[in-house]
């Protein structure tokens, strides 16, 4: 039988790389919880219309990138290309009380050309603050993402921010942009010629250099804001001014999805190459109405997990996946093995990750097994140790060795204790 390989554009997360993923997800959960978000889990696939009516029929996602299929009963379904539409549908379908803050960690699927930082299956870490309209929430959401990257040790990023107006100021702006684009129509790429008639702002995301050059002279949304949008954006900017983060106004930033209004933002990093966006988001005050819901202001962001891993600097504690917080117990003979098993139970009851082998193998082989398991610490249970009611410890990262009295063994490892009860 020939070996199978994974589909193009997908990735395996195997140890020790998978530890980075787990740690990043745990930090995200923690920080989202600290900011008052609760977890939401929506299906991996939705009715296709959920994405068409959110992302917009002129968006690249809907036009080129969706994994759409018909199920055996003839339903038209799509694997989620992003998290937001499913969350909006779920909030309405489950009649959640508003305001509510929801976070998710979810695989997403986009049929795009794979390259460094761009995959067909990737993970998004997202938050959605639903039912809040204050510009201070916009600032808080932007700061949330920046704080997350900073806690990971990622400091080389810039936050691009812009405002793209609301349903009051946008129609006049749309006409102005459309007039501009129609004058240049013949010079635009075929995609832009179609896009502009559906949503002219979509032309700003075109990757084609000649379209980009033409758009340098285009009228920009931020210069056509109504007084309310201007005041909203000024408050967002004022809040950002008092943060330590690197941010800049980017008047061309419209984002690749149709549902945004007012504030849009993106975190970009120079270390990522062409796929420079670590994450992004914005306000989407009209999306609930698209789903038949009441007027509901909302704002959110999503961060790409794979790009975050790529951006982790050498020295980040989240990048040192070579050893995990695991205690490996090494024993020297049958009597010591019985004692080792007792100790294994005690540690596990204390929620301290621990492992040993039950195979009758030499001590050297057991250290090798500890290495394969990626354990950070070894406890050695030998004849001498048993007699003296002591354990020998070895830190496999630093090589440090020490002797610990039996009753101190649990407190020694208490910092490794896991806890799922705190949320
Ligand atoms: P987005 O900018 O399309 O926004 O995606 C967010 C992030 O997902 C990107 O910045 C990037 O890090 C990651 N990402 C996107 N496509 C890929 C890919 N093919 N491979 C790897 N990573 C990728 C949204 O999806 C919005 N739903 C964000 C949002 C939430 N807006 C409001 N709430």
């Amino acid at each position: 039988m020939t070996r199978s390989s994974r589909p193009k554009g997908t990735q395996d997360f195997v140890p020790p790389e998978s530890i980075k993923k787990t740690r990043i997800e745990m930090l995200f959960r923690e920080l989202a919880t600290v900011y008052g978000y609760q977890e939401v889990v929506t299906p991996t696939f939705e009715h296709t219309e959920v994405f068409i009516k959110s992302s917009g029929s002129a968006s690249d996602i809907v036009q080129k990138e969706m994994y759409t299929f018909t199920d055996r009963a003839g339903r038209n379904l799509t694997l989620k290309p992003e998290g937001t539409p499913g969350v909006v549908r779920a909030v309405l379908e489950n009649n959640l009380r508003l305001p509510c803050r929801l976070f998710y960690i979810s695989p997403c699927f986009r049929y795009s050309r794979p390259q460094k930082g761009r995959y067909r299956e990737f993970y998004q870490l997202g938050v959605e603050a639903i039912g809040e309209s204050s510009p201070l929430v916009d600032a808080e959401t932007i700061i949330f993402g920046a704080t997350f990257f900073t806690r990971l040790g990622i400091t080389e990023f810039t936050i691009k921010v812009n405002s793209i107006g609301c349903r009051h100021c946008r129609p006049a702006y749309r006409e102005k942009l459309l007039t501009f684009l129609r004058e240049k129509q013949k010079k635009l790429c075929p995609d832009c010629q179609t896009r502009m008639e559906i949503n002219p702002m979509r032309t700003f995301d075109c990757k084609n250099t000649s379209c980009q050059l033409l758009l340098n002279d285009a009228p920009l949304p931020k210069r056509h804001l109504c007084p309310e949008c201007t005041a909203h954006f000024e408050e967002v900017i004022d809040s950002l001014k008092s943060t330590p983060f690197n941010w800049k106004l980017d008047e061309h930033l419209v984002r690749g999805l149709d549902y945004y209004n007012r504030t849009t933002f993106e975190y970009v990093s120079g270390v990522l190459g062409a796929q420079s966006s670590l994450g992004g988001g914005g306000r989407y005050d009209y999306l609930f109405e698209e789903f038949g819901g009441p007027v509901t202001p909302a704002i959110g962001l999503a961060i790409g997990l794979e790009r975050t891993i790529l951006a982790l600097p050498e020295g980040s504690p989240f990048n040192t996946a070579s050893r995990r917080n695991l205690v490996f117990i090494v024993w020297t003979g049958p009597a010591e093995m019985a004692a080792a098993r007792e100790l294994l139970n005690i540690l596990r009851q204390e929620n301290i990750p621990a492992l040993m082998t039950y195979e009758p193998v030499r001590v050297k082989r057991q250290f090798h097994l500890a290495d394969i398991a990626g354990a950070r610490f070894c406890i050695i249970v030998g004849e001498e140790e048993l007699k003296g009611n002591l354990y020998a410890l070895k830190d496999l990262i630093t090589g440090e060795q020490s002797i610990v009295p039996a009753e101190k063994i649990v407190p020694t490892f208490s910092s490794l204790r896991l806890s799922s009860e705190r949320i």
Side-chain angles (χ1 to χ4, degrees):
M1 220 165 61
T2 53
R3 289 194 180 192
S4 307
S5 54
R6 58 180 182 266
K8 194 174 170 185
T10 64
Q11 292 207 99
D12 296 315
F13 284 93
V14 293
E17 277 300 299
S18 54
I19 299 175
K20 290 186 197 170
K21 175 174 177 290
T22 309
R23 287 187 179 156
I24 293 171
E25 288 174 356
M26 281 173 82
L27 176 72
F28 187 79
R29 265 172 208 283
E30 253 169 53
L31 198 64
T33 307
V34 165
Y35 273 70
Y37 291 91
Q38 289 176 280
E39 185 162 17
V40 62
V41 181
T42 65
T44 304
F45 52 86
E46 297 272 353
H47 293 290
T48 300
E49 69 196 37
V50 166
F51 301 115
I52 294 181
K53 66 183 166 199
S54 337
S55 310
S57 55
S59 67
D60 271 359
I61 291 186
V62 169
Q63 289 212 327
K64 306 178 188 164
E65 299 180 353
M66 293 206 304
Y67 276 93
T68 297
F69 60 99
T70 310
D71 77 1
R72 287 166 197 271
R75 294 179 196 95
N76 192 314
L77 301 169
T78 293
L79 300 182
K80 62 169 111 163
E82 53 141 336
T84 312
V87 172
V88 170
R89 183 212 35 78
V91 166
L92 287 169
E93 194 164 346
N94 294 282
N95 290 317
L96 293 194
R97 287 200 303 169
L98 299 184
C100 72
R101 289 187 168 208
L102 300 170
F103 80 84
Y104 49 88
I105 298 174
S106 171
C108 294
F109 306 85
R110 293 185 192 176
Y111 190 85
S112 46
R113 199 168 46 78
Q115 62 182 91
K116 182 183 164 196
R118 189 163 70 194
Y119 310 98
R120 291 183 173 169
E121 179 178 21
F122 60 97
Y123 285 80
Q124 276 194 349
L125 314 169
V127 296
E128 312 290 350
I130 297 159
E132 295 182 75
S133 59
S134 165
L136 295 179
V137 181
D138 305 30
E140 202 196 83
T141 310
I142 298 171
I143 292 166
F144 168 83
T147 306
F148 174 69
F149 293 126
T150 309
R151 289 227 189 149
L152 287 169
I154 301 173
T155 47
E156 300 282 304
F157 67 89
T158 303
I159 312 166
K160 289 184 183 177
V161 271
N162 194 20
S163 176
I164 56 170
C166 68
R167 49 166 70 127
H168 304 294
C169 46
R170 205 181 285 168
Y173 166 67
R174 186 184 191 279
E175 280 317 304
K176 203 162 174 184
L177 179 59
L178 203 51
T179 310
F180 170 88
L181 292 170
R182 282 190 181 134
E183 279 165 17
K184 318 265 185 235
Q185 190 158 7
K186 292 214 176 73
K187 293 186 186 150
L188 291 169
C189 73
D191 272 356
C192 279
Q193 297 195 22
T194 330
R195 281 183 188 127
M196 63 182 248
E197 296 299 334
I198 313 173
N199 180 355
M201 268 208 289
R202 282 281 66 80
T203 52
F204 284 110
D205 331 312
C206 184
K207 309 289 177 293
N208 200 310
T209 345
S210 60
C211 292
Q212 286 298 330
L213 277 175
L214 280 178
L215 282 158
N216 274 341
D217 303 325
L220 298 171
K222 160 128 189 330
R223 307 204 180 166
H224 298 81
L225 298 181
C226 60
E228 290 75 16
C229 284
T230 304
H232 185 100
F233 194 55
E234 274 170 7
E235 214 172 326
V236 177
I237 295 297
D238 273 351
S239 296
L240 292 182
K241 279 183 185 155
S242 57
T243 70
F245 304 117
N246 235 338
W247 63 272
K248 69 171 191 204
L249 178 67
D250 177 354
E251 293 191 52
H252 285 258
L253 180 75
V254 296
R255 311 246 322 119
L257 300 152
D258 268 7
Y259 49 66
Y260 292 118
N261 68 296
R262 289 195 168 163
T263 315
T264 54
F265 56 94
E266 224 164 80
Y267 307 89
V268 291
S269 162
V271 304
L272 289 176
Q275 301 306 313
S276 64
S277 162
L278 280 170
R283 203 160 253 297
Y284 52 96
D285 295 335
Y286 312 130
L287 190 53
F288 279 80
E289 288 161 73
E290 294 293 321
F291 280 81
V295 177
T296 310
I299 179 158
L301 65 75
I303 289 164
L305 178 87
E306 292 78 359
R307 292 185 194 176
T308 303
I309 293 179
L310 286 172
L312 284 177
E314 279 288 318
S316 162
F318 290 83
N319 210 3
T320 49
S322 59
R323 301 248 163 237
R324 56 184 164 141
N325 287 333
L326 175 78
V327 180
F328 197 96
I329 307 171
V330 172
W331 46 274
T332 55
E336 291 78 12
M337 186 210 187
R341 286 180 62 197
E342 259 174 54
L343 178 59
L344 182 73
N345 274 338
I346 292 171
L347 292 175
R348 286 179 175 172
Q349 262 163 23
E350 293 293 332
N351 242 15
I352 296 167
L355 197 61
M356 63 182 268
T357 181
Y358 301 123
E359 304 296 329
V361 290
R362 286 171 197 277
V363 167
K364 195 170 168 210
R365 171 75 185 153
Q366 292 186 46
F367 272 104
H368 187 60
L369 293 176
D371 194 48
I372 293 177
R376 163 91 200 256
F377 300 99
C378 274
I379 300 180
I380 301 108
V381 185
E383 201 181 332
E384 288 300 306
E385 283 89 354
L386 263 195
K387 265 194 230 151
N389 221 7
L390 300 165
Y391 294 115
L393 300 192
K394 186 169 181 188
D395 183 321
L396 297 180
I397 293 184
T398 62
E400 255 171 66
Q401 303 200 32
S402 55
I403 302 287
V404 176
E407 71 273 12
K408 291 273 170 62
I409 203 78
V410 168
T412 302
F413 290 112
S414 63
S415 66
L416 307 192
R417 194 176 269 141
L418 299 179
S419 170
S420 50
E421 289 157 18
R422 297 227 200 100
I423 282 180

